[in-house]
Amino acid sequence: MNNHKKGFITRSLHARFPKGDAYNALHMPVYDGVAYEFDSAEDIAETFAGKKFAHAYSRTSNPTVEYFEQKMKAVTDADAVVALASGMAAISNVLLSLVESGGNIVASNQLFGHSYALLKQTLPALGIEVRFVNMTNLEAVQQATDDKTRAYFFETITNPQLEIVDLKQLSELAKANNVVVVCDSTITPPYVFNSKSFGVDVEVMSTTKFISGGAAAFGGVVLDNGTFDYSSLPALKQWSGKFGKDALVARIRKEIFRHLGGTMTAHTAHFMNLGLDIMPLRVDRCVDNCKQLAAFFEAHHGIVSYNYPGVAGNRGYDLAQTQFGGKPGAVMTFDLESKEACFQLYNRLKVMRRATNLNDNKTLIIHPESTIYAEFSDEEKKAMDIRPTMMRLSVGIEEVQDLIADFTQAL
Ligand SMILES: *Cc1c(COP(=O)(O)O)cnc(C)c1O
């Protein structure tokens, strides 16, 4: 036996199909049908009774989607994986499966906008209380925690503030309080971040971003690292009796996801299967471009300040090194002298695209204060550190000289 552990791309490319293909296809085919036939009455009865696994109906499972789940498992240390229709489907399914009505979640006050809205509006209407805190302040997290707290929910790097939670410290606190650590690692996907080794119990991601191959299709994924004993949670006690450490994924598959219908389609899974294989190449290229843009911003007199945790001197640099191998995604921000200067620059850009969204292959740029945060009051914006002088960049895979030339002419 040799102990050589294969690299991410090799494991992704060569992940085996769950079942041999009828034509020996090298790419997993797109199984676009809805239902599957059984050989006998016994066969279909055993499947429905959960005694054996077979695909029956594509809303609950599908071969192309199953293969994407297998690939995600092959490139991570996750115990169980579920793919869903979008990042929001992944987040909502996990939280609805973990927390009972009457329980609460302690969540970061710096979240992707729709995650924030889910936690602020939708979950409280279902009897799930959410307490927003600064997740980098462990005392605040501890103070918000009580014996009804079931989950800590946050993002590995917040956007657009680019704050990084110290995961080892937070997961120790979670363990002491018997709370599930649920982390959204969309902007630091598995190639740069091993969630299990930092004490994360459940990882959720929007695969729409880096994994789909540059914002090609909507998708989401839930990875359960198998590290939490769910028998102590009211929402999962029964499930735990039957499914042990797979209780969360069992409840998602057999109840929440099945009943809410947030299914990933076979076509989407096809994009994800192709995108995952070459994600590391794209991430490396994006990170390299970010570092070169940082050097350009550093030297340019028109840039008041910039923020990218991948460069020395940044307040998040040390954590970016230890937690993300020095590759902290491809979102960066910079500040100009005024909002007017931001708008002027924005209107002059010729290569970079004026758009929301992250981790497209194209570089995207936006002025968060007047767009994503337009509905927030000035006080709320201030509390979230959303400055009118700040621009957000999602750096793509173009030749960086072309991005620098675009900035040079626009500044
Ligand atoms: C985009 C995004 C989501 C939501 O994902 P969708 O696929 O758009 O539903 C959640 N979290 C983060 C950090 C994101 O960037």
Side-chain angles (χ1 to χ4, degrees):
M1 283 292 286
N2 77 54
N3 291 322
H4 174 72
K5 184 161 165 127
K6 295 188 186 79
F8 187 106
I9 297 181
T10 307
R11 282 181 280 147
S12 179
L13 278 173
H14 296 284
R16 295 290 163 179
F17 297 170
K19 233 180 177 177
D21 178 69
Y23 299 97
N24 288 335
L26 276 171
H27 276 278
M28 169 56 84
V30 179
Y31 283 92
D32 214 7
V34 168
Y36 305 83
E37 191 182 10
F38 289 81
D39 289 337
S40 66
E42 291 74 18
D43 205 25
I44 191 166
E46 279 180 21
T47 302
F48 275 69
K51 290 191 186 128
K52 62 183 239 188
F53 174 76
H55 297 289
Y57 191 63
S58 282
R59 174 158 44 69
T60 53
S61 74
N62 167 283
T64 314
V65 177
E66 183 191 10
Y67 183 53
F68 174 55
E69 292 168 343
Q70 298 271 335
K71 278 167 87 88
M72 288 303 302
K73 223 173 139 169
V75 298
T76 61
D77 289 333
D79 222 58
V81 178
V82 191
L84 300 98
S86 66
M88 288 314 301
I91 294 166
S92 56
N93 273 259
V94 163
L95 297 177
L96 285 171
S97 300
L98 277 177
V99 191
E100 79 284 8
S101 177
N104 69 64
I105 298 167
V106 175
S108 167
N109 55 12
Q110 295 180 1
L111 289 176
F112 172 73
H114 294 167
S115 301
Y116 182 76
L118 168 75
L119 273 73
K120 182 102 183 159
Q121 301 166 359
T122 314
L123 295 185
L126 299 171
I128 296 170
E129 189 195 337
V130 182
R131 301 162 178 185
F132 292 99
V133 298
N134 175 352
M135 221 67 192
T136 62
N137 178 348
L138 292 181
E139 266 174 44
V141 176
Q142 178 60 49
Q143 269 180 17
T145 305
D146 64 19
D147 63 355
K148 292 219 158 45
T149 304
R150 309 298 177 217
Y152 291 159
F153 178 68
F154 57 94
E155 293 162 15
T156 45
I157 305 183
T158 68
N159 151 33
Q161 302 88 352
L162 306 182
E163 274 193 16
I164 303 179
V165 174
D166 186 324
L167 290 164
K168 283 227 153 106
Q169 287 184 3
L170 185 73
S171 62
E172 268 170 36
L173 184 70
K175 255 188 203 78
N177 290 319
N178 195 41
V179 169
V180 186
V181 178
V182 182
C183 129
D184 177 340
S185 63
T186 299
I187 74 171
T188 55
Y191 167 61
V192 302
F193 172 53
N194 181 320
S195 66
K196 192 170 185 169
S197 65
F198 290 96
V200 171
D201 300 303
V202 180
E203 186 178 5
V204 290
M205 254 175 288
S206 165
T207 64
T208 312
K209 311 293 164 57
F210 269 131
I211 292 176
S212 75
F218 272 103
V221 73
V222 176
L223 308 176
D224 189 332
N225 284 326
T227 46
F228 197 88
D229 176 6
Y230 295 117
S231 63
S232 62
L233 295 190
L236 289 173
K237 202 177 181 66
Q238 278 187 346
W239 293 91
S240 176
K242 198 161 168 206
F243 297 97
K245 67 180 170 45
D246 293 330
L248 173 67
V249 162
R251 186 176 184 208
I252 292 175
R253 278 200 193 283
K254 291 172 188 299
E255 185 192 343
I256 304 295
F257 160 69
R258 198 179 74 184
H259 298 175
L260 298 182
T263 310
M264 176 179 279
T265 68
H267 270 283
T268 294
H270 180 63
F271 277 117
M272 300 303 166
N273 287 332
L274 299 176
L276 183 65
D277 290 339
I278 54 166
M279 178 186 69
L281 305 179
R282 287 183 277 111
V283 170
D284 280 344
R285 170 78 163 214
C286 292
V287 168
D288 198 47
N289 281 355
C290 285
K291 290 182 180 168
Q292 296 202 49
L293 281 172
F296 168 77
F297 290 154
E298 181 77 41
H300 199 290
H301 58 87
I303 304 284
V304 175
S305 63
Y306 67 92
N307 189 7
Y308 180 60
V311 293
N314 185 281
R315 69 196 150 114
Y317 180 75
D318 291 340
L319 282 173
Q321 292 295 313
T322 53
Q323 295 182 170
F324 315 121
K327 298 176 181 178
V331 177
M332 58 195 304
T333 64
F334 61 88
D335 279 62
L336 299 181
E337 241 154 51
S338 63
K339 182 169 175 171
E340 292 67 37
C342 289
F343 272 48
Q344 199 171 54
L345 167 90
Y346 205 49
N347 288 330
R348 284 179 180 162
L349 292 169
K350 293 185 173 135
V351 175
M352 288 173 261
R353 303 299 185 92
R354 289 173 280 269
T356 187
N357 198 21
L358 302 173
N359 307 325
D360 194 311
N361 287 335
K362 302 176 183 75
T363 296
L364 308 179
I365 182 164
I366 196 162
H367 180 254
E369 192 264 342
S370 63
T371 55
I372 303 168
Y373 294 90
E375 288 171 18
F376 290 86
S377 70
D378 285 347
E379 289 75 51
E380 285 173 312
K381 286 179 197 169
K382 203 160 181 199
M384 288 184 283
D385 201 17
I386 305 299
R387 301 177 298 275
T389 52
M390 178 180 71
M391 301 292 301
R392 184 188 82 185
L393 261 182
S394 167
V395 177
I397 61 173
E398 298 95 337
E399 285 78 7
V400 73
Q401 295 80 358
D402 296 326
L403 303 177
I404 289 173
D406 201 19
F407 271 125
T408 304
Q409 64 82 20
L411 282 161

